[in-house]
Amino acid sequence: MNKLSQWVKGLREKLNEWSMKKKIAYGAILAGVLATLIYLGVSLGSTKYAVLFSNIDNNDMGSVYTKLKEKKEDFKVEGNSILVPKDKVDSLRMEILSEVPMTSGSQGFELLDKSKFGSTDAEMKINYQRALQGELERTIKGFPEIDNARVHLVLPEDSVFIKDATPSTASITLKLKPYKKLTEDQVKAIVALVSGSVKNLPKENVEINDTNGSLTKDLFNKDNLDTASAAEKQQGLKREYEKNLENKALNMLEAVYGKDKVKVKVNTDLNFDATEKETVTYDPKNVVVSEKNVKDTNKDSGNAGSGSPVDDAMGNKIEQNKDGSITTHEENTKNYEISKVQDKTIKAPGAVERLTVSVVLDGTLDNATRTAVTNSVASAVGYDQKRGDTISVEGIPFDTAAKEKVNKDLEEMKKEEEAQKRAKLYTGLGILAGIAVIGLITFLIRRKKKEDIEEDMETQGIDVVIADDTPAEEQAKFKPIQLDVENEKTHIEKEIRKYATEKPEQVADIIKSWLAEDER
């Protein structure tokens, strides 16, 4: 106990020797360490919970809650989430899923399992429709952008007396997650899903809506949309082509005449018709297709002939000579055909049929300048006289009144801003000057007071120091100094006066140091 008390006493003495800042710093560090230890102890000792189910339907939430109460499991509910101890999440989730049917707000074909024996056809049909709607809702909720979905089907009655059955219809309402949006392909996928799942349901009879309106509006009227979009695309290409030509001519002329001194407008006639052209060219050179040769032969014969020739149908001649020999003449014919070359050309749409360019320059132009500008613009825009292109160049003084007014207003605004800046600057300088003057006056006043105090101290002498606590008048009135009396007090006074007479500067320094200590 003695050692402990000595250690505590020594620690207390060390703490007393520390300054206030040091005590505060070490105290804050000690408090932080203690708070960390307490937090770790509480967090490590408490049960850690994890989410078992979240964002599920209220009916499913009630079923899970009831089942956990039956199992007497430790759990808690936070919002629309059920939390259980972290080490039991996986096992409890599997048990709950196996024991509680999670419908997620929609019941599917499990409704048919609940059908009672002896149900009528109308009840079976209604249950089938409800089950089909529930299954479609579950599938649609699988999209990551969809928070909830409702499906309504209208299934017409089948009849053997109706030749053409009435098609089914479907209406789907979607609740999208915040800042999410379905693409056109996803909407088409939902339409295809519903159309393929319901009998006699064409895609045009599927209506999908969300909080912003219909998602299937004009989705299947693509003919008109394609025509309109094609026309808009053509007009956009035309404007883009004209703007490109205008920039070419404008950049060239502005380098010579300056900015805002030139105006250029281009109008083009583009042909967006795709044409196909076939060309056949005949070669003047003859080409032999077939050839027939001529052959003559002589043969001796023992019998004399009359010598008259015999022609056959092939153009051959057989003649019997007087000496009895036979002469044969064979003839071949050549057939010729004229060759040809066939070309097939497909012309892409967007060809320029005619180009019109208008150029206006600020001021007047002479003929030489007009000709030079016309030639330069023609080269820049691709002028073609065969197409009937035209270029018009005129010199007209521009109206600059509006521009001058704008420039004048801008200059006035700029002057006002500069005046405001100068006013702020002068105000700031005035405030600084005032502060400086006030500070100087305060410094001079304090300095004057300090000098007056020092002068008073010097004039009063050493008596003020000796009797600092007692006024001089009271000492003179109630306790006069008797110089004739010799005692210890009078002796000290004489010695002090003698010392002050011999060394007044040192005495004044001592008095100043005392005054400084009193002021502290």
Side-chain angles (χ1 to χ4, degrees):
M1 292 296 293
N2 292 332
K3 292 183 179 181
L4 180 61
S5 61
Q6 291 178 359
W7 181 80
V8 172
K9 185 178 180 181
L11 180 62
R12 186 180 299 171
E13 291 177 355
K14 289 182 180 180
L15 292 176
N16 292 330
E17 292 175 358
W18 288 356
S19 63
M20 184 59 65
K21 294 181 179 179
K22 196 172 183 180
K23 291 179 180 179
I24 293 173
Y26 279 102
I29 294 172
L30 181 61
V33 172
L34 291 176
T36 304
L37 293 175
I38 293 171
Y39 173 77
L40 292 175
V42 173
S43 60
L44 293 176
S46 61
T47 304
K48 295 182 178 180
Y49 289 86
V51 177
L52 179 65
F53 293 107
S54 179
N55 295 326
I56 59 177
D57 188 74
N58 293 331
N59 296 329
D60 297 337
M61 182 76 74
S63 301
V64 174
Y65 180 86
T66 304
K67 181 59 66 174
L68 291 175
K69 291 280 285 185
E70 292 177 357
K71 291 179 172 292
K72 297 181 180 179
E73 294 287 348
D74 182 17
F75 69 95
K76 59 181 181 179
V77 179
E78 293 183 359
N80 58 351
S81 302
I82 296 180
L83 287 76
V84 297
K86 189 174 182 180
D87 55 345
K88 295 184 178 181
V89 172
D90 297 331
S91 59
L92 284 176
R93 183 176 292 136
M94 297 302 295
E95 292 179 5
I96 296 298
L97 290 175
S98 61
E99 298 177 4
V100 179
M102 304 295 290
T103 61
S104 298
S106 302
Q107 298 186 24
F109 287 117
E110 63 269 10
L111 279 173
L112 302 180
D113 298 335
K114 301 177 183 179
S115 299
K116 299 179 181 179
F117 181 76
S119 299
T120 62
D121 293 340
E123 292 176 349
M124 290 295 297
K125 183 178 180 180
I126 292 173
N127 289 335
Y128 173 76
Q129 182 175 343
R130 290 177 58 195
L132 186 57
Q133 291 176 171
E135 292 294 334
L136 290 174
E137 289 175 5
R138 292 180 183 179
T139 307
I140 294 172
K141 289 178 184 178
F143 284 82
E145 294 82 4
I146 297 176
D147 186 22
N148 201 354
R150 292 287 292 173
V151 178
H152 300 279
L153 300 177
V154 177
L155 305 179
E157 296 183 0
D158 297 332
S159 176
V160 294
F161 301 102
I162 299 175
K163 181 178 180 181
D164 297 328
T166 304
S168 304
T169 58
S171 178
I172 303 171
T173 303
L174 303 178
K175 180 183 178 183
L176 302 180
K177 294 180 179 179
Y179 310 107
K180 296 294 183 179
K181 185 178 180 181
L182 291 178
T183 62
E184 185 175 343
D185 293 336
Q186 289 176 320
V187 175
K188 289 181 178 179
I190 296 175
V191 171
L193 168 69
V194 178
S195 177
S197 302
V198 181
K199 181 181 178 182
N200 193 18
L201 177 58
K203 295 180 179 180
E204 293 78 7
N205 288 5
V206 179
E207 179 69 22
I208 301 177
N209 301 288
D210 66 353
T211 55
N212 297 323
S214 176
L215 299 179
T216 54
K217 184 180 180 181
D218 299 329
L219 186 64
F220 303 103
N221 298 329
K222 285 299 182 182
D223 294 336
N224 297 331
L225 292 178
D226 291 342
T227 303
S229 62
E232 293 176 357
K233 186 177 181 181
Q234 291 174 4
Q235 292 297 323
L237 292 174
K238 181 177 181 293
R239 288 192 296 268
E240 184 178 356
Y241 182 72
E242 293 174 350
K243 191 66 176 177
N244 187 22
L245 295 180
E246 290 175 1
N247 291 334
K248 287 183 179 180
L250 195 61
N251 293 335
M252 179 184 62
L253 295 176
E254 282 183 347
V256 180
Y257 293 95
K259 190 174 179 62
D260 297 331
K261 297 290 184 180
V262 184
K263 298 295 180 183
V264 179
K265 290 297 179 183
V266 178
N267 185 26
T268 58
D269 294 335
L270 302 181
N271 185 6
F272 291 99
D273 296 334
T275 58
E276 183 176 344
K277 183 179 180 181
E278 238 179 80
T279 305
V280 179
T281 305
Y282 292 94
D283 193 352
K285 297 180 181 180
N286 296 330
V287 179
V288 178
V289 178
S290 60
E291 182 179 358
K292 185 180 288 185
N293 297 322
V294 178
K295 184 179 180 182
D296 295 329
T297 57
N298 294 323
K299 293 183 180 180
D300 295 335
S301 178
N303 299 323
S306 61
S308 59
V310 179
D311 295 336
D312 58 6
M314 298 300 295
N316 298 328
K317 295 182 180 180
I318 302 174
E319 185 178 356
Q320 186 175 7
N321 299 325
K322 294 179 180 182
D323 56 1
S325 62
I326 299 174
T327 301
T328 305
H329 177 76
E330 297 180 0
E331 200 174 299
N332 294 329
T333 304
K334 293 182 178 180
N335 295 324
Y336 298 91
E337 184 177 357
I338 300 175
S339 62
K340 64 179 180 179
V341 179
Q342 187 173 357
D343 295 332
K344 185 176 182 181
T345 305
I346 299 176
K347 189 177 181 181
V352 179
E353 292 186 344
R354 190 169 180 268
L355 190 67
T356 304
V357 183
S358 298
V359 180
V360 180
L361 300 174
D362 187 12
T364 58
L365 298 178
D366 53 14
N367 293 329
T369 304
R370 183 178 284 105
T371 302
V373 173
T374 302
N375 295 333
S376 301
V377 174
S379 301
V381 300
Y383 172 80
D384 189 358
Q385 188 176 3
K386 297 179 181 179
R387 290 188 310 220
D389 298 349
T390 59
I391 298 177
S392 175
V393 180
E394 299 294 338
I396 302 173
F398 289 175
D399 184 11
T400 58
K403 184 177 180 181
E404 291 176 356
K405 186 178 182 303
V406 171
N407 292 333
K408 186 178 180 180
D409 294 340
L410 292 176
E411 289 179 359
E412 292 179 356
M413 292 173 62
K414 187 175 181 181
K415 290 180 181 178
E416 291 179 358
E417 291 179 357
E418 292 178 353
Q420 292 178 359
K421 289 181 180 179
R422 287 196 298 269
K424 290 181 180 179
L425 178 61
Y426 294 155
T427 304
L429 292 176
I431 293 173
L432 292 176
I435 293 173
V437 171
I438 294 172
L440 180 61
I441 293 173
T442 304
F443 173 74
L444 292 176
I445 293 173
R446 289 183 178 179
R447 185 176 178 182
K448 181 66 175 173
K449 288 182 178 180
K450 186 176 181 181
E451 290 177 354
D452 293 341
I453 292 172
E454 291 178 356
E455 290 178 359
D456 293 341
M457 294 296 297
E458 290 178 358
T459 55
Q460 289 177 2
I462 197 68
D463 294 336
V464 178
V465 177
I466 297 172
D468 191 16
D469 297 334
T470 307
E473 295 181 356
E474 293 180 358
Q475 289 182 359
K477 184 176 181 181
F478 299 101
K479 295 181 180 180
I481 298 175
Q482 298 179 3
L483 299 177
D484 297 337
V485 179
E486 291 291 339
N487 53 23
E488 184 177 0
K489 183 177 180 180
T490 57
H491 178 70
I492 293 173
E493 289 179 356
K494 290 180 180 180
E495 291 295 330
I496 292 174
R497 290 186 181 188
K498 181 179 179 182
Y499 183 80
T501 304
E502 295 177 354
K503 299 179 179 180
E505 295 179 357
Q506 294 181 0
V507 173
D509 293 337
I510 293 171
I511 293 172
K512 289 180 181 180
S513 64
W514 288 349
L515 291 173
E517 290 179 358
D518 292 339
E519 289 178 357
R520 293 178 185 175

